[in-house]
Amino acid sequence: MVLSVADPGGPAPDAGQFYMLAAAGRWGGGADERPFLPRAFSVARRHGDQRQRVLDFLLEDVGPGTERLAELDAGDDVWLLGPLGRGFSPPRDGRRPILVGGGVGIAPLAILQDALGPSTLTLLGFRDSAHAEGAKLVIDPLVATDDGSVGHHGLVTELLAPELGADAEVCACGPPPMLEAVRALCAEHDVPGQLALEAGMACGFGACFGCVVPTKNGYARLCVDGPVLDAAVLRRVEHPGA
Ligand SMILES: Cc1cc2nc3c(=O)[nH]c(=O)nc-3n(C[C@H](O)[C@H](O)[C@H](O)COP(=O)(O)OP(=O)(O)OC[C@H]3O[C@@H](n4cnc5c(N)ncnc54)[C@H](O)[C@@H]3O)c2cc1C
Ligand code: FES
């Protein structure tokens, strides 16, 4: 689902930046609820000028925080901190950007496509047709589904491989196995890539070191050094099956 949050007077987020969100009420304070920290969400789209700023977030209900945010009614208050982190950089040397996303990870591709232009090639992968509804967030995407119910029957990286000409630059976000496949393809084709990674985040602003990931240059705190990292600094994108 899409959660729209008014942030009047707030700064304009860049594509790939994120916010820490919590419901102002009933956020873990109830007798039988565990208290929890705000949760990190990529901004999917921004609307309005600074005075009337509205931010869209794409939520996948995976636990108590996303469940609580998903049940908010219009007008309910939301606690919001951001924009945080480093987002996507403009493609270098006039390269042709290719946007690649999977599942709920497609959120930052909407605001990135808004910035780069509606004709930017955007490739999206989903489990099935129900999840592929999220493709409506972007303009004219090429879609792949695991079960073949919409678009290409297979992985989104199968759509990406033939597009990797010498002038390409890939901007990707999605589940870690997909990002690892994108990283490997970029390395194989000697094409630059920018990968929006995720890690559990407690503070969101560099204080807790809960979000560190290994890079070729040591550990990076994803909340301040990322969440978008240059694919070339990663030996691999860590994930349970790696
Ligand atoms: C920079 C960033 C951007 C994000 N953008 C979005 C977004 O646009 N939309 C969205 O729905 N979610 C996004 N997330 C993920 C979201 O913050 C987590 O899923 C959050 O923990 C959900 O809170 P919860 O209380 O519902 O579930 P929790 O109880 O916190 O977690 C439920 C399950 O998800 C696992 N989990 C929690 N966080 C992560 C994570 N970061 N990576 C992998 N597994 C995790 C937990 O281990 C647990 O099994 C983002 C995370 C980061 C770091
Ligand atoms: S989330 Fe605390 S240092 Fe990154």
PDB file of all heavy atoms in Angstrom, residues 98-102 106 109 121-125 141-144 156 159-161 163:
ATOM      1  N   ILE A  98      19.608   2.824 -16.498  1.00  0.00           N
ATOM      2  CA  ILE A  98      18.639   1.726 -16.527  1.00  0.00           C
ATOM      3  C   ILE A  98      18.233   1.466 -15.085  1.00  0.00           C
ATOM      4  O   ILE A  98      19.094   1.216 -14.232  1.00  0.00           O
ATOM      5  CB  ILE A  98      19.240   0.434 -17.129  1.00  0.00           C
ATOM      6  CG1 ILE A  98      19.801   0.689 -18.524  1.00  0.00           C
ATOM      7  CG2 ILE A  98      18.202  -0.675 -17.159  1.00  0.00           C
ATOM      8  CD1 ILE A  98      20.509  -0.518 -19.136  1.00  0.00           C
ATOM      9  N   LEU A  99      16.940   1.568 -14.806  1.00  0.00           N
ATOM     10  CA  LEU A  99      16.451   1.364 -13.451  1.00  0.00           C
ATOM     11  C   LEU A  99      15.964  -0.079 -13.306  1.00  0.00           C
ATOM     12  O   LEU A  99      15.258  -0.589 -14.179  1.00  0.00           O
ATOM     13  CB  LEU A  99      15.303   2.330 -13.130  1.00  0.00           C
ATOM     14  CG  LEU A  99      15.506   3.800 -13.543  1.00  0.00           C
ATOM     15  CD1 LEU A  99      14.408   4.674 -12.931  1.00  0.00           C
ATOM     16  CD2 LEU A  99      16.875   4.295 -13.162  1.00  0.00           C
ATOM     17  N   VAL A 100      16.372  -0.717 -12.215  1.00  0.00           N
ATOM     18  CA  VAL A 100      16.014  -2.125 -11.996  1.00  0.00           C
ATOM     19  C   VAL A 100      15.495  -2.277 -10.576  1.00  0.00           C
ATOM     20  O   VAL A 100      16.161  -1.841  -9.614  1.00  0.00           O
ATOM     21  CB  VAL A 100      17.240  -3.049 -12.179  1.00  0.00           C
ATOM     22  CG1 VAL A 100      16.827  -4.514 -12.060  1.00  0.00           C
ATOM     23  CG2 VAL A 100      17.914  -2.800 -13.513  1.00  0.00           C
ATOM     24  N   GLY A 101      14.317  -2.871 -10.428  1.00  0.00           N
ATOM     25  CA  GLY A 101      13.762  -3.030  -9.092  1.00  0.00           C
ATOM     26  C   GLY A 101      13.043  -4.343  -8.924  1.00  0.00           C
ATOM     27  O   GLY A 101      12.619  -4.972  -9.891  1.00  0.00           O
ATOM     28  N   GLY A 102      12.901  -4.745  -7.661  1.00  0.00           N
ATOM     29  CA  GLY A 102      12.189  -5.977  -7.359  1.00  0.00           C
ATOM     30  C   GLY A 102      11.325  -5.813  -6.127  1.00  0.00           C
ATOM     31  O   GLY A 102      11.754  -5.207  -5.138  1.00  0.00           O
ATOM     32  N   ILE A 106      10.920  -1.490  -5.265  1.00  0.00           N
ATOM     33  CA  ILE A 106      10.791  -0.580  -6.412  1.00  0.00           C
ATOM     34  C   ILE A 106      10.514   0.847  -5.965  1.00  0.00           C
ATOM     35  O   ILE A 106      10.577   1.772  -6.764  1.00  0.00           O
ATOM     36  CB  ILE A 106       9.679  -1.018  -7.392  1.00  0.00           C
ATOM     37  CG1 ILE A 106       8.308  -0.869  -6.737  1.00  0.00           C
ATOM     38  CG2 ILE A 106       9.926  -2.436  -7.888  1.00  0.00           C
ATOM     39  CD1 ILE A 106       7.174  -0.989  -7.729  1.00  0.00           C
ATOM     40  N   LEU A 109      12.463   3.870  -7.152  1.00  0.00           N
ATOM     41  CA  LEU A 109      12.580   4.029  -8.610  1.00  0.00           C
ATOM     42  C   LEU A 109      11.533   5.002  -9.144  1.00  0.00           C
ATOM     43  O   LEU A 109      11.736   5.614 -10.197  1.00  0.00           O
ATOM     44  CB  LEU A 109      12.453   2.681  -9.315  1.00  0.00           C
ATOM     45  CG  LEU A 109      13.536   1.660  -8.992  1.00  0.00           C
ATOM     46  CD1 LEU A 109      13.411   0.451  -9.907  1.00  0.00           C
ATOM     47  CD2 LEU A 109      14.928   2.275  -9.087  1.00  0.00           C
ATOM     48  N   LEU A 121      14.456   3.786 -19.147  1.00  0.00           N
ATOM     49  CA  LEU A 121      14.159   2.352 -19.174  1.00  0.00           C
ATOM     50  C   LEU A 121      14.094   1.811 -17.746  1.00  0.00           C
ATOM     51  O   LEU A 121      15.046   1.960 -16.972  1.00  0.00           O
ATOM     52  CB  LEU A 121      15.251   1.610 -19.954  1.00  0.00           C
ATOM     53  CG  LEU A 121      15.095   0.086 -20.035  1.00  0.00           C
ATOM     54  CD1 LEU A 121      13.795  -0.305 -20.725  1.00  0.00           C
ATOM     55  CD2 LEU A 121      16.301  -0.540 -20.744  1.00  0.00           C
ATOM     56  N   THR A 122      12.948   1.205 -17.403  1.00  0.00           N
ATOM     57  CA  THR A 122      12.727   0.726 -16.035  1.00  0.00           C
ATOM     58  C   THR A 122      12.277  -0.734 -16.090  1.00  0.00           C
ATOM     59  O   THR A 122      11.278  -1.064 -16.737  1.00  0.00           O
ATOM     60  CB  THR A 122      11.657   1.600 -15.334  1.00  0.00           C
ATOM     61  OG1 THR A 122      12.089   2.968 -15.392  1.00  0.00           O
ATOM     62  CG2 THR A 122      11.480   1.193 -13.885  1.00  0.00           C
ATOM     63  N   LEU A 123      13.031  -1.592 -15.423  1.00  0.00           N
ATOM     64  CA  LEU A 123      12.786  -3.036 -15.440  1.00  0.00           C
ATOM     65  C   LEU A 123      12.404  -3.482 -14.033  1.00  0.00           C
ATOM     66  O   LEU A 123      13.137  -3.201 -13.072  1.00  0.00           O
ATOM     67  CB  LEU A 123      14.055  -3.778 -15.877  1.00  0.00           C
ATOM     68  CG  LEU A 123      14.774  -3.226 -17.110  1.00  0.00           C
ATOM     69  CD1 LEU A 123      16.092  -3.973 -17.341  1.00  0.00           C
ATOM     70  CD2 LEU A 123      13.870  -3.344 -18.334  1.00  0.00           C
ATOM     71  N   LEU A 124      11.270  -4.147 -13.901  1.00  0.00           N
ATOM     72  CA  LEU A 124      10.776  -4.519 -12.574  1.00  0.00           C
ATOM     73  C   LEU A 124      10.492  -6.012 -12.499  1.00  0.00           C
ATOM     74  O   LEU A 124       9.914  -6.594 -13.429  1.00  0.00           O
ATOM     75  CB  LEU A 124       9.477  -3.765 -12.257  1.00  0.00           C
ATOM     76  CG  LEU A 124       9.530  -2.231 -12.321  1.00  0.00           C
ATOM     77  CD1 LEU A 124       8.151  -1.652 -12.023  1.00  0.00           C
ATOM     78  CD2 LEU A 124      10.567  -1.680 -11.361  1.00  0.00           C
ATOM     79  N   GLY A 125      10.857  -6.607 -11.376  1.00  0.00           N
ATOM     80  CA  GLY A 125      10.582  -8.023 -11.162  1.00  0.00           C
ATOM     81  C   GLY A 125       9.663  -8.227  -9.968  1.00  0.00           C
ATOM     82  O   GLY A 125       9.804  -7.536  -8.948  1.00  0.00           O
ATOM     83  N   PRO A 141       7.001   0.496 -17.421  1.00  0.00           N
ATOM     84  CA  PRO A 141       8.083  -0.444 -17.071  1.00  0.00           C
ATOM     85  C   PRO A 141       7.996  -1.731 -17.906  1.00  0.00           C
ATOM     86  O   PRO A 141       6.919  -2.075 -18.400  1.00  0.00           O
ATOM     87  CB  PRO A 141       7.791  -0.758 -15.596  1.00  0.00           C
ATOM     88  CG  PRO A 141       6.293  -0.638 -15.492  1.00  0.00           C
ATOM     89  CD  PRO A 141       5.894   0.465 -16.442  1.00  0.00           C
ATOM     90  N   LEU A 142       9.122  -2.413 -18.050  1.00  0.00           N
ATOM     91  CA  LEU A 142       9.097  -3.787 -18.543  1.00  0.00           C
ATOM     92  C   LEU A 142       9.062  -4.676 -17.305  1.00  0.00           C
ATOM     93  O   LEU A 142       9.888  -4.501 -16.393  1.00  0.00           O
ATOM     94  CB  LEU A 142      10.345  -4.095 -19.366  1.00  0.00           C
ATOM     95  CG  LEU A 142      10.479  -3.358 -20.695  1.00  0.00           C
ATOM     96  CD1 LEU A 142      11.735  -3.833 -21.435  1.00  0.00           C
ATOM     97  CD2 LEU A 142       9.249  -3.594 -21.561  1.00  0.00           C
ATOM     98  N   VAL A 143       8.117  -5.605 -17.264  1.00  0.00           N
ATOM     99  CA  VAL A 143       7.887  -6.389 -16.046  1.00  0.00           C
ATOM    100  C   VAL A 143       8.261  -7.845 -16.280  1.00  0.00           C
ATOM    101  O   VAL A 143       8.001  -8.414 -17.347  1.00  0.00           O
ATOM    102  CB  VAL A 143       6.406  -6.261 -15.611  1.00  0.00           C
ATOM    103  CG1 VAL A 143       6.085  -7.199 -14.459  1.00  0.00           C
ATOM    104  CG2 VAL A 143       6.101  -4.816 -15.214  1.00  0.00           C
ATOM    105  N   ALA A 144       8.847  -8.452 -15.250  1.00  0.00           N
ATOM    106  CA  ALA A 144       9.082  -9.902 -15.232  1.00  0.00           C
ATOM    107  C   ALA A 144       8.418 -10.456 -13.976  1.00  0.00           C
ATOM    108  O   ALA A 144       8.412  -9.799 -12.933  1.00  0.00           O
ATOM    109  CB  ALA A 144      10.575 -10.191 -15.195  1.00  0.00           C
ATOM    110  N   VAL A 156      14.101 -10.562 -13.384  1.00  0.00           N
ATOM    111  CA  VAL A 156      14.271  -9.230 -13.975  1.00  0.00           C
ATOM    112  C   VAL A 156      15.684  -9.072 -14.548  1.00  0.00           C
ATOM    113  O   VAL A 156      15.891  -8.329 -15.518  1.00  0.00           O
ATOM    114  CB  VAL A 156      13.932  -8.136 -12.930  1.00  0.00           C
ATOM    115  CG1 VAL A 156      14.953  -8.089 -11.803  1.00  0.00           C
ATOM    116  CG2 VAL A 156      13.799  -6.778 -13.588  1.00  0.00           C
ATOM    117  N   LEU A 159      15.959  -9.574 -18.158  1.00  0.00           N
ATOM    118  CA  LEU A 159      15.635  -8.403 -18.988  1.00  0.00           C
ATOM    119  C   LEU A 159      16.807  -7.430 -19.029  1.00  0.00           C
ATOM    120  O   LEU A 159      17.007  -6.712 -20.015  1.00  0.00           O
ATOM    121  CB  LEU A 159      14.403  -7.673 -18.431  1.00  0.00           C
ATOM    122  CG  LEU A 159      13.084  -8.441 -18.389  1.00  0.00           C
ATOM    123  CD1 LEU A 159      11.992  -7.574 -17.736  1.00  0.00           C
ATOM    124  CD2 LEU A 159      12.651  -8.824 -19.800  1.00  0.00           C
ATOM    125  N   LEU A 160      17.574  -7.394 -17.938  1.00  0.00           N
ATOM    126  CA  LEU A 160      18.672  -6.425 -17.836  1.00  0.00           C
ATOM    127  C   LEU A 160      19.858  -6.813 -18.729  1.00  0.00           C
ATOM    128  O   LEU A 160      20.418  -5.941 -19.421  1.00  0.00           O
ATOM    129  CB  LEU A 160      19.136  -6.319 -16.373  1.00  0.00           C
ATOM    130  CG  LEU A 160      20.367  -5.458 -16.115  1.00  0.00           C
ATOM    131  CD1 LEU A 160      20.108  -4.004 -16.509  1.00  0.00           C
ATOM    132  CD2 LEU A 160      20.781  -5.541 -14.633  1.00  0.00           C
ATOM    133  N   ALA A 161      20.223  -8.072 -18.733  1.00  0.00           N
ATOM    134  CA  ALA A 161      21.472  -8.494 -19.399  1.00  0.00           C
ATOM    135  C   ALA A 161      21.597  -7.974 -20.831  1.00  0.00           C
ATOM    136  O   ALA A 161      22.634  -7.394 -21.195  1.00  0.00           O
ATOM    137  CB  ALA A 161      21.603 -10.015 -19.338  1.00  0.00           C
ATOM    138  N   GLU A 163      20.468  -5.398 -22.167  1.00  0.00           N
ATOM    139  CA  GLU A 163      20.478  -3.924 -22.230  1.00  0.00           C
ATOM    140  C   GLU A 163      21.827  -3.331 -21.836  1.00  0.00           C
ATOM    141  O   GLU A 163      22.025  -2.120 -21.918  1.00  0.00           O
ATOM    142  CB  GLU A 163      19.399  -3.339 -21.298  1.00  0.00           C
ATOM    143  CG  GLU A 163      17.984  -3.755 -21.627  1.00  0.00           C
ATOM    144  CD  GLU A 163      17.478  -3.108 -22.917  1.00  0.00           C
ATOM    145  OE1 GLU A 163      18.083  -2.123 -23.376  1.00  0.00           O
ATOM    146  OE2 GLU A 163      16.494  -3.612 -23.463  1.00  0.00           O
TER     147      GLU A 163
END
